[in-house]
Amino acid sequence: METIRAHSHFHAGHRQLDYEGKCAWVHGHTWRGRFTVRAERFPRIEKLDMAVDFGALKGIFKFLDHKMLISARDTLFQQPEVFDPQGVVVMPGENPSVENVALYCLNEAVDLLAKLFPGEGIDYHIEVEIQETDNNFYTMDRQVTI
Ligand SMILES: [Zn+2]
């Protein structure tokens, strides 16, 4: 079994619509993301004899750096004349909660593996942990065959 772990952090803002409490207001965190990807044997990028590029996995987190994370229903931040669309990333689900930030990152990791090594029939176990604050962590994982 082989394991790749890649960690990075990103600074990003969000708010929780319909939340009764301070999380309803726009605020930011220094989020920390950790991917753990396992496979019996990773395919290799031929010339490089490397599996998944750590930088590519970390790039999923870095793409979120200095962005506003929103849900699709948060239309305030989707007015291009007010907010530059390059600074806004739409998360899945009803709110940009830590759960949905993790889901976004996990989906991106699946897409990355599918682009790097399409159709090789490899079973991957992908785990993402998102740390929102010093004390709040959320982890989700998925088994996929690509
Ligand atoms: Zn928050």
Side-chain angles (χ1 to χ4, degrees):
M1 186 64 77
E2 299 178 348
T3 302
I4 288 173
R5 298 183 71 208
H7 300 186
S8 192
H9 68 275
F10 54 97
H11 311 286
H14 71 165
R15 68 172 176 165
Q16 309 299 330
L17 299 178
D18 303 321
Y19 186 89
E20 292 187 17
K22 63 183 182 180
C23 295
W25 305 329
V26 172
H27 63 282
H29 300 283
T30 297
W31 307 73
R32 299 192 186 284
R34 299 175 181 87
F35 280 119
T36 304
V37 185
R38 293 191 174 93
E40 189 59 40
R41 184 180 188 282
F42 286 100
R44 302 291 197 261
I45 299 166
E46 281 180 24
K47 280 185 185 169
L48 302 174
D49 199 16
M50 288 167 49
V52 182
D53 188 336
F54 293 100
L57 278 172
K58 288 188 278 192
I60 293 168
F61 300 131
K62 283 297 175 191
F63 178 73
L64 303 176
D65 192 39
H66 284 73
K67 303 276 174 70
M68 185 68 192
L69 312 181
I70 65 166
S71 65
R73 67 189 180 113
D74 194 343
T75 54
L76 175 68
F77 292 96
Q78 297 179 70
Q79 301 172 45
E81 64 280 6
V82 181
F83 294 98
D84 185 338
Q86 288 185 40
V88 177
V89 184
V90 177
M91 297 288 115
E94 296 300 310
N95 261 318
S97 59
V98 67
E99 294 89 340
N100 286 327
V101 173
L103 177 59
Y104 169 90
C105 292
L106 187 60
N107 288 340
E108 290 292 309
V110 171
D111 288 350
L112 175 70
L113 288 168
K115 280 184 198 135
L116 276 175
F117 309 111
E120 301 217 10
I122 306 284
D123 294 322
Y124 296 97
H125 181 262
I126 307 170
E127 179 183 291
V128 62
E129 178 183 87
I130 302 292
Q131 182 178 354
E132 186 176 21
T133 67
D134 285 346
N135 303 315
N136 297 353
F137 298 77
Y138 181 81
T139 302
M140 70 184 344
D141 65 275
R142 189 182 299 164
Q143 188 81 36
V144 294
T145 302
I146 299 171

